[in-house]
Amino acid sequence: MVAIAVRGGAAPHDGLHDAVDWARVVVATAARAVLAALVGLAVWSAAPALLGWHPTTVMTGSMAPRLLPGDVVVSRPVAPAEVRPGQVLLADDPDHPGRLRMHRFVEPGGDGTVVTKGDANPRADSTPIERSAVHGVAALRVPFVASPVLWVREGRWVETGVLTLVVVALLALATVDGALRRPAAHRAARRAGHAGPVADAAVTGREARGDPDVGPPSGAGPDPSRRSLRAVARRGSGAHRAGAVVLVALAAGGSVVLPAGRADAGPFGRATATDLRLTAAVVAPATSPTCADASGSVVIAWQYAGDDPRSFTLSDDTGAVLATTDGRARSATVRLSSLLALGTTRAVRVQATDASSWTAVPSAPVSVRYSSLAGIGLGDGTSCVR
């Protein structure tokens, strides 16, 4: 029997297979790019520590929008004489022993001290910093890399679980083109194993029986079995998965373990006992705060009984400043967002600040819920909790 070669191009299903192979390559490449970005963020967060620099996790919003909770800030060492106004300093917090403060140097204080202030705070910190307490000057910001640290501290297990699932999915997607990246010898052996001598004859036009030119070359041995090919594929995929696990472990280790220093940066100093008694004007607090939904954001309104202050500041329970408005206003629009939030609830308070930068006690809290991904609102976005 003679097999006749078929001309006229590839079969239709070959084009479909090619399209699927290209899709696998694109998906796997994109997944590896995301994993590489995670590793890059971890490296930028951790590598400067080898040079004696200080990676620090930002825990509050006192420096927003310049620095946000979840950022890692790397500070370079600085001599006390080289500290200048305008620099963002990392220093021991005199109001909270054992903690760090990361605020901006706004003006020199008495006896060579440094007066600092959070960019988002209405007034300067009450206690100046000694120059000898300064660890460094902020030089590099790596955004969001330590967000999982905040989620764990705040008990936001939904976001933590979603992130874990995303990482696992990326690990799986990064290996979907493993068969295509296998050595050419294995692919050729696989094609030979599926084709067989009859298919070879169909391609060459030679007789399949009795022709010495048909079949595997002399000394090549038998074609690999399907079982052995599958074993090779499993070993290759296992190696790629192991490499991906190592990459993500490096990213997690760099973002959680190394930047362990906390810059809490509390906006106010602690109270101290004194025999001196002073009488001073009191800034009236905002009262009766309410919340109303408004197309992905909320409008928070309040009442105020005293003379109009200089401004009102709306902050959440993490210390992040959400809005600042004129002292004549009695409402403000608030939209919350973060790298990943799924039904997260914040307590928002209103605080008045008078012309002398004296600040009233915060108002009663208003609960606000929000969902977002990379700063983009999901579902209802920001809404009131009834």
Side-chain angles (χ1 to χ4, degrees):
M1 182 179 68
V2 178
I4 301 175
V6 178
R7 308 294 181 185
H13 66 274
D14 291 337
L16 178 59
H17 289 168
D18 289 342
V20 172
D21 288 345
W22 274 109
R24 291 165 63 186
V25 170
V26 170
V27 170
T29 301
R32 288 194 292 271
V34 175
L35 292 173
L38 292 176
V39 174
L41 289 173
V43 169
W44 278 108
S45 302
L50 301 177
L51 304 176
W53 293 25
H54 306 278
T56 308
T57 301
V58 179
M59 303 298 292
T60 71
S62 63
M63 285 294 294
R66 180 88 174 178
L67 304 176
L68 301 175
D71 292 350
V72 170
V73 178
V74 181
S75 303
R76 61 174 176 83
V78 61
E82 297 176 358
V83 175
R84 298 286 183 269
Q87 295 174 326
V88 177
L89 305 180
L90 176 67
D92 295 324
D93 190 342
D95 296 326
H96 302 88
R99 295 187 181 181
L100 299 174
R101 175 190 295 178
M102 180 169 283
H103 278 181
R104 192 178 302 280
F105 179 5
V106 291
E107 63 182 6
D111 300 327
T113 58
V114 172
V115 177
T116 57
K117 175 183 177 297
D119 290 353
N121 291 340
R123 62 188 180 95
D125 301 322
S126 59
T127 307
I129 295 173
E130 298 290 339
R131 289 178 179 264
S132 59
V134 175
H135 293 285
V137 175
L140 176 67
R141 173 201 175 210
V142 186
F144 301 125
V145 71
S147 292
V149 177
L150 268 68
W151 298 341
V152 171
R153 288 183 181 276
E154 297 174 3
R156 294 167 58 181
W157 305 116
V158 174
E159 288 87 340
T160 305
V162 169
L163 179 63
T164 302
L165 293 177
V166 169
V167 172
V168 171
L170 288 173
L171 291 175
L173 293 175
T175 63
V176 296
D177 65 341
L180 302 177
R181 293 185 286 112
R182 203 169 295 142
H186 292 305
R187 294 198 301 269
R190 184 178 181 182
R191 287 196 297 269
H194 284 299
V198 174
D200 291 340
V203 174
T204 61
R206 294 192 178 115
E207 187 175 59
R209 185 181 305 165
D211 192 336
D213 293 333
V214 177
S218 177
D223 293 335
S225 67
R226 292 185 179 181
R227 181 176 298 177
S228 64
L229 288 172
R230 285 196 295 268
V232 172
R234 284 194 297 270
R235 287 195 296 270
S237 298
H240 293 308
R241 290 191 182 96
V245 169
V246 171
L247 293 178
V248 174
L250 289 174
S255 62
V256 177
V257 177
L258 288 173
R262 294 174 52 186
D264 291 284
F268 304 107
R270 60 185 177 183
T272 57
T274 177
D275 292 332
L276 182 62
R277 296 291 183 266
L278 299 176
T279 302
V282 176
V283 183
T287 59
S288 305
T290 60
C291 182
D293 295 327
S295 301
S297 59
V298 297
V299 176
I300 296 179
W302 60 90
Q303 297 178 10
Y304 193 75
D307 295 334
D308 290 341
R310 184 180 67 181
S311 63
F312 289 101
T313 301
L314 282 70
S315 305
D316 67 10
D317 47 7
T318 69
V321 173
L322 309 178
T324 300
T325 187
D326 184 80
R328 292 170 294 180
R330 295 298 181 266
S331 66
T333 300
V334 171
R335 185 190 302 270
L336 299 177
S337 65
S338 68
L339 176 64
L340 177 63
L342 300 175
T344 303
T345 300
R346 297 289 190 201
V348 180
R349 292 176 170 84
V350 184
Q351 201 168 22
T353 302
D354 70 2
S356 301
S357 296
W358 287 94
T359 303
V361 296
S363 69
V366 173
S367 296
V368 176
R369 180 185 295 111
Y370 68 104
S371 299
S372 66
L373 176 63
I376 301 175
L378 301 176
D380 295 333
T382 304
S383 60
C384 302
V385 177
R386 304 299 182 187

